[in-house]
Amino acid sequence: MELAYYSDYAVRLVNTEEPARGKDVLTSVEAVRDLFGTNKEAARRATDADVTRFRSVRARLRAVFEAADGGDETLSVNLLNSLLLEFPVSPQISGHNFRDEDGRPLWHMHLADHPSNATAGYAAIAAMGLAFHLTEYGVDRLGLCEAPPCRNAYLDTSTNRSRRYCSDRCATRANVAAYRARKRLEADRSERTGLAAESAQRASANGER
């Protein structure tokens, strides 16, 4: 499994909540298990107690993204380092489930967690994946969606560091809003220009009398 895959664990967890909209889907053990995706074995470890623990880790991961989005690289790194220290993993070389044409293992890096509970396992993988992404691409590649009120987290993998939204849907919504704002501004300017011209004409007419 590629290390880039693990960074999505952090995004997935952070985006279970939309604070500005008052939405939170992380309300049950089933929601916790869904976050593990295809990792059914790890998901089965989740209990009701993990709901509260997951929310705590989520807040700390969001803080990492908020610091990065605000341009505070040092704070973002420090917050992430605290998670790495609290939830360690053991990198291992693995070849399971991946074979080349000759049947030989396709060796790759795998993050082996040794958790005391489901939250510890998920947090370890999410923090390490995010750390790999941060050190490989830079802190400024951790972003929060600019389409209000969304603020979902995303990882910018664009070639020119141009990503500003978490999804195409938010990008479209923001572009439509910006277009409508420009049209309103143009209409206001046109109206003011028309009123000014009308006022000037009246003044000129009064002056000729």
Side-chain angles (χ1 to χ4, degrees):
M1 187 178 296
E2 294 183 2
L3 293 175
Y5 169 83
Y6 291 118
S7 59
D8 188 56
Y9 272 56
V11 173
R12 205 181 308 163
L13 177 54
V14 170
N15 291 346
T16 58
E17 180 185 30
E18 295 183 63
R21 290 191 173 111
K23 291 184 177 181
D24 186 351
V25 301
L26 196 56
T27 58
S28 66
V29 67
E30 288 75 18
V32 168
R33 288 171 178 158
D34 287 344
L35 287 168
F36 285 93
T38 58
N39 193 346
K40 302 301 181 184
E41 182 179 349
R44 281 194 291 270
R45 292 198 298 257
T47 67
D48 289 331
D50 285 298
V51 177
T52 300
R53 289 193 288 251
F54 260 68
R55 286 180 171 181
S56 176
V57 172
R58 178 180 65 188
R60 294 171 67 182
L61 286 170
R62 176 170 281 278
V64 174
F65 279 91
E66 288 176 343
D69 189 66
D72 195 335
E73 294 193 12
T74 300
L75 177 59
S76 182
V77 169
N78 287 342
L79 291 171
L80 187 52
N81 272 335
S82 69
L83 284 165
L84 292 169
L85 288 171
E86 186 173 344
F87 303 105
V89 294
S90 303
Q92 294 180 353
I93 299 174
S94 176
H96 63 84
N97 299 330
F98 296 92
R99 301 281 172 172
D100 62 17
E101 294 179 354
D102 297 323
R104 295 173 301 185
L106 294 176
W107 301 112
H108 59 278
M109 290 300 296
H110 177 79
L111 298 182
D113 58 287
H114 309 285
S116 56
N117 54 65
T119 302
Y122 192 99
I125 291 173
M128 183 60 76
L130 198 57
F132 276 116
H133 189 93
L134 186 152
T135 53
E136 178 71 18
Y137 299 105
V139 179
D140 57 341
R141 293 301 189 112
L142 277 59
L144 292 173
C145 186
E146 292 185 13
C150 179
R151 304 301 283 169
N152 271 349
Y154 65 83
L155 299 173
D156 185 2
T157 56
S158 63
T159 55
N160 56 355
R161 300 172 184 264
S162 61
R163 185 170 179 179
R164 298 166 55 201
Y165 306 105
C166 68
S167 64
D168 290 339
R169 179 182 179 183
C170 276
T172 299
R173 183 160 53 85
N175 289 334
V176 169
Y179 173 78
R180 289 174 176 171
R182 287 195 302 271
K183 286 299 181 182
R184 285 196 297 269
L185 181 61
E186 291 171 2
D188 290 343
R189 286 175 177 171
S190 179
E191 183 179 355
R192 288 197 298 270
T193 301
L195 290 173
E198 184 179 339
S199 177
Q201 288 176 353
R202 285 199 301 266
S204 177
N206 290 334
E208 293 174 353
R209 291 175 184 174

